[in-house]
Amino acid sequence: MDENIKIVQEHYDANVLAEYNRIVNKPEFLLTCRMLDRYIKTGDKILDIGGGPGRYSLYLAEKGCDVTLFDLSLENTKFAKEKAVESGLEIKTITGDAREADKLTFEKFDNILLMGPMYHLLEEKDRIASVNAALNLLKQGGVIFVSFINLFGCIVFGMKNCPEFVAMEIEKSFIEHVVTRKSYRGDTGNTFTRTYIYEQNEILPFMSQFPLEKLHLFGQESIMSPCEDNIMSQPQEIIDLWLDFCERIWEREDLLNWSEHLMYVGRKI
């Protein structure tokens, strides 16, 4: 195991509950579930690669799907299994490296989630390997959901949560990448591990090398990131109207940079 992967594994082993709670009742989760619901139906076989402590896996199991959670962190997979039992649900779990997912299971899946490996695999060859491994496990005509951390979305995160980051020495290189619109690899003062952060215009060229028909590239928070705490504290009727509005505009190219995470949705051809 290389040093970066070991760091990622140790981080998630030590922060299971925080990661599980991170997206609860957040636009990222609620809007992403709306996209998943467009394509995933009851009874589908789902592989959730890099699914952490299983928030999406449990959602899809509750929907009546046959779910396998695949994650680097043993503590994450153990936690997800326990949560499933508590909820009267059943999920299968595999602990392993996303780059080798197709060596650790030989099942074929109707849909695959790849939400995490694109953040943590710093070398392009490794990100390519993780997508290819997932596609080897995806049925012909199946749909893959791939998440990326959005370069300018990290500025939105910083403005919201850590405005002093602009004064940090460690952030100078990152800020220069934002200005010059180049994807960033490495440390920043407000991320959890060394991370690969995509400039939005580099996502489609990266995904175009795979045998996929592009269905969507959308903002997982849409435009809600800057004001999500305010909006999510409103009465449910207002929250639902905002979520409905965001779903209508979440693919607009001029608005993608409002999101901290972008998701590519593609069908295997």
Side-chain angles (χ1 to χ4, degrees):
M1 182 184 297
D2 66 50
E3 181 183 359
N4 183 65
I5 296 300
K6 187 172 185 291
I7 290 170
V8 172
Q9 182 185 56
E10 290 174 349
H11 169 83
Y12 283 107
D13 280 345
N15 293 280
V16 178
L17 191 58
E19 179 62 20
Y20 183 77
N21 290 328
R22 180 182 65 82
I23 57 174
V24 64
N25 201 37
K26 295 287 189 179
E28 176 189 349
F29 179 73
L30 298 172
L31 288 170
T32 300
C33 287
R34 289 187 178 209
M35 179 61 78
L36 299 179
D37 287 346
R38 292 189 182 190
Y39 295 96
I40 297 176
K41 61 185 183 299
T42 299
D44 279 357
K45 284 177 63 68
I46 309 298
L47 180 62
D48 183 6
I49 301 177
R55 180 67 72 173
Y56 289 103
S57 288
L58 294 168
Y59 172 78
L60 293 170
E62 190 172 7
K63 186 182 172 78
C65 297
D66 178 354
V67 180
T68 299
L69 170 66
F70 186 109
D71 197 77
L72 184 65
S73 164
L74 177 61
E75 295 304 317
N76 272 341
T77 55
K78 285 169 55 180
F79 179 90
K81 196 83 168 178
E82 291 166 3
K83 278 291 181 183
V85 171
E86 287 176 15
S87 303
L89 302 170
E90 183 177 347
I91 63 171
K92 296 183 281 291
T93 59
I94 301 172
T95 304
D97 189 316
R99 296 169 295 181
E100 300 178 344
D102 56 343
K103 297 176 183 175
L104 297 174
T105 180
F106 301 100
E107 294 184 74
K108 290 291 185 179
F109 296 87
D110 298 300
N111 303 283
I112 292 181
L113 282 56
L114 194 61
M115 302 186 194
M118 295 300 101
Y119 310 168
H120 296 299
L121 293 170
L122 302 181
E123 300 296 331
E124 183 168 6
K125 65 180 177 60
D126 292 328
R127 296 191 297 278
I128 291 171
S130 72
V131 177
N132 281 329
L135 291 178
N136 287 340
L137 298 169
L138 184 63
K139 293 179 181 177
Q140 201 74 20
V143 176
I144 189 169
F145 305 83
V146 187
S147 288
F148 302 82
I149 297 178
N150 182 24
L151 187 70
F152 195 82
C154 291
I155 296 292
V156 173
F157 178 91
M159 288 190 293
K160 182 173 59 175
N161 296 290
C162 182
E164 65 274 16
F165 85 96
V166 293
M168 296 177 181
E169 186 68 25
I170 195 173
E171 299 287 8
K172 285 187 175 180
S173 176
F174 170 73
I175 290 172
E176 188 62 24
H177 278 70
V178 174
V179 172
T180 57
R181 301 194 70 178
K182 294 179 182 176
S183 294
Y184 177 80
R185 179 184 71 178
D187 297 306
T188 67
N190 58 8
T191 57
F192 38 121
T193 66
R194 297 191 76 213
T195 310
Y196 196 86
I197 305 172
Y198 269 84
E199 156 61 31
Q200 69 171 70
N201 291 330
E202 295 182 22
I203 293 174
L204 291 182
F206 173 77
M207 294 304 299
S208 69
Q209 66 190 291
F210 304 106
L212 290 164
E213 171 197 358
K214 172 186 171 281
L215 301 173
H216 308 278
L217 178 66
F218 77 101
Q220 289 179 254
E221 296 91 356
S222 188
I223 64 167
M224 291 177 70
S225 284
C227 301
E228 66 179 13
D229 290 342
N230 182 35
I231 293 171
M232 300 310 293
S233 67
Q234 302 300 313
Q236 191 62 48
E237 178 184 3
I238 300 300
I239 294 172
D240 290 341
L241 288 170
W242 273 106
L243 291 170
D244 292 345
F245 172 67
C246 285
E247 186 176 355
R248 296 175 66 188
I249 61 171
W250 61 8
E251 291 186 74
R252 272 183 46 178
E253 187 175 352
D254 60 320
L255 299 178
L256 289 179
N257 270 332
W258 289 61
S259 283
E260 295 170 32
H261 303 84
L262 301 178
M263 177 175 278
Y264 173 95
V265 184
R267 191 183 305 279
K268 184 177 177 179
I269 56 177

